[in-house]
Amino acid sequence: MSVLIEKMRSSRKVLAAYHYVPALIERGYAGKTLYIDLTNKNIESKDVTRQMKDIFVGGKGFGLWYLWNAVTPDTKWNDPENEIIISPGPIAGITQYPGSGKSLLVTLSPLTDSVMDSNVGGFFGPYLKFSGWDALEIQGKADKDVVVFIDGDNGRVTIEEVDLDPSASHLLSEQLTELMAETEHDKKNISVVSTGSGAEHTRVGMLNFSFYDLRRKVARLKQAGRGGIGTVFRDKKLAALVVRFSGLSGKSNNPADPAAIARTGVKITREINKFDDTQFRMRQIGTANLMTPMNDYDLLPVHNFKYGSHKDAAGISSEVLRSRFTQKMPDGCWVGCALSCCKAVDNFVPKTGPFKGKKVTVDGPEYENAAGLGSNCGIFDADYVIEANFYCDTYGLDTISTGTIIAFIMECFENDILNETITGGLKLNFGNAEAAMELIHQMGQGRGFGKVAGQGVRRMKKIFAEEYGGDPAFLQDIGMENKGLEYSQYQAKESLAQQGGYALANKGPQHDEAWLIFMDMVNNQLPTFEKKAEALHYFPMFRTWFGLQGLCKLPWNDIIPESNAIADSPEKIPEHVQNYVDLFNAVTGKNIDKDEMIRQSERVYNFQRVFNLRMGFGTREHDAAPYRALGPVTEEEYESRQDRYDKQLKEDVGINPEGMSTDAKVAAMRKYRQGRYETLIDVVYKRRGWNENGVPTLGHLENLGIDFPEVVEVVKKHL
Amino acid sequence: MVIMVNGKQIEWEENLTIKSLLKKMNYTFPKIVVRVNGKVVEQKKWAEFKVPDQAEVQAHHLIAGG
């Protein structure tokens, strides 16, 4: 390593440098944004305005505002005008409350051609802010690979050429950490943003944000996975972003009321210590704790979302994955996170690919990795899941999209739309781990059929229909994407509310807006369209708020306080909602309540909807869902849950299924379910203050205070 | 001889406890709040608490996803 690092060190060539006095953080804000134009190597400081803080708050809000001002309706994801904005938000960086180190990223997506946001842990966001910047705004394209180094200790930003290999993100993170740290101890003060070769060859490139693990002595990685932000990053010839900040303390955010933050933090940390082992075991298993219950409740995606459970699911159960995690102690991606859901498999030895036979540290697997790469592809082998997880991470491939892409390809292969001639010899049947792994390598290295797979499900549907004779209607039914983004890994067929939670989401079907399956399907708390619509208003708005602040959502509902047993709306976890109101007020010195909290989100959420409109999307037709997300597409699916579906036909639809062919029953069920989905959309739009085409009304925008002339101009065209 | 569980009609049986009801429903999730006729029943009492005929049971799974 040291020879390599010395070589990298001697190759450093500064192309542009900017010296600054780091702004003092005041009540969660630095008050400045770092703007970098890679084309002209221009580095500037911008003021964060009062209006930005009042309307957009921070995080995703800042990202959307900067991107709105940077692009036009004609801008494409790979135009130099497109930006990547990274912003942590005002609460981000506190160390007393769990889950307070998130960064939010915004860009135009190569998958959706519209606005994308993604959130990620790791140290970069807080260190960026404490280096004096509320946001990093990157525009333009370099002509050669560059590294941007933000030295918050010395007030210096540089754009540099460095002799490096950007193909493997885990190595690049290690190397740049070593290169930029002044001592071994200084490594914890470094955070690297990077991706791998997969981001150059696919539209599903993601970004790894590092945090240095002093116990393991490795740079660990968290992923900004969704929507191809890594692809944009490499298109700009960015090899990496590096931040260095060494002055972290419990008061770095300079909050208005540190005692209130400490009180709130102590309260929830006690809850976690008391209850986590008997609730979700986030400290032991992380989000992989969901694998077993999802299978038990028929919600684990299996075979491209055909089914919700599988007889072999025990092979990748929560306990099996737990047994593979090493260094069995709490492990967080930001300082002070008592929930500590990060998990890793140390000394893992891949059996394939460029790291075959070498020991590596794998971050994860998390639930989405195991469900997407594993069960959804019919692969129930923990070793495969861990290796696929590792390679997706180091190639810079979004595990969620990759899982859904491979599952879609497998179903097409089994339906003879694809064959070995097309796939270059890969027998991509469900369950073929060897072929799936090779496909991941091909995606990561830009080879063979991987080049097609890397285009994503939406573009593959078109290719498979036009070039391979696939039935476009069938491909549309089974291609699990909406707005161009691949579905995340929950089976939503039996929850109408979650069907809306997915397909009505601003960026596409990611569950971070709403996850209502249990409330709807199991608890039956949303029996009417109006109740579903209310949930599809409240939860997306509430969850948006985390993205404005730089917060992780997990400490909200993956630990349940005692008070919840007698709470009026236990699904909202009212005590924790109040914690967040208290935290915001304690950091910023403002005085919001839980209603204003929702309004903060509504402003940004509706602005994002209008931004979609501006880019040529954002209307009802773009909220349509593939039928696989709503109900059984094939006779095989129907017959696998025949009792359930027959009962629904009889009791809910009013059709006696006796004597009907399966084909006829599938058709009757489809008509019923699609009708209900359309009704749901009507009711949700109304609740959200939108017209029947999904366009926010002018009155609603005015009420929210975002009726800026340029916003009104966009909306008027659709009214 | 029926009870309502999360709005669905379920056949009642003699000596039906909350523990056996959850097993019957295949409700394996670790964090469920159970109310019987509007009153919360603590988890430590689930093994002996007898669910009466005609009862309205809410078994709310406290999970809101990833």
Side-chain angles (χ1 to χ4, degrees), chain A residues 476-522:
Chain A
Q476 174 57 30
D477 280 350
I478 68 164
M480 288 294 283
E481 61 85 18
N482 149 280
K483 301 182 176 73
L485 185 70
E486 286 75 23
Y487 271 71
S488 71
Q489 308 300 336
Y490 294 99
Q491 176 61 273
K493 279 195 185 99
E494 301 312 314
S495 167
L496 178 59
Q498 185 56 34
Q499 292 161 19
Y502 267 137
L504 296 174
N506 264 330
K507 67 172 171 241
Q510 169 71 358
H511 55 277
D512 60 353
E513 274 199 14
W515 198 93
L516 303 170
I517 299 178
F518 270 78
M519 274 183 76
D520 190 30
M521 182 186 102
V522 183

Side-chain angles (χ1 to χ4, degrees), chain A residues 73-94:
Chain A
D74 299 322
T75 305
K76 304 301 177 201
W77 71 272
N78 53 357
D79 285 340
E81 291 74 27
N82 189 19
E83 295 191 338
I84 295 173
I85 300 108
I86 303 174
S87 177
I91 298 179
I94 63 170

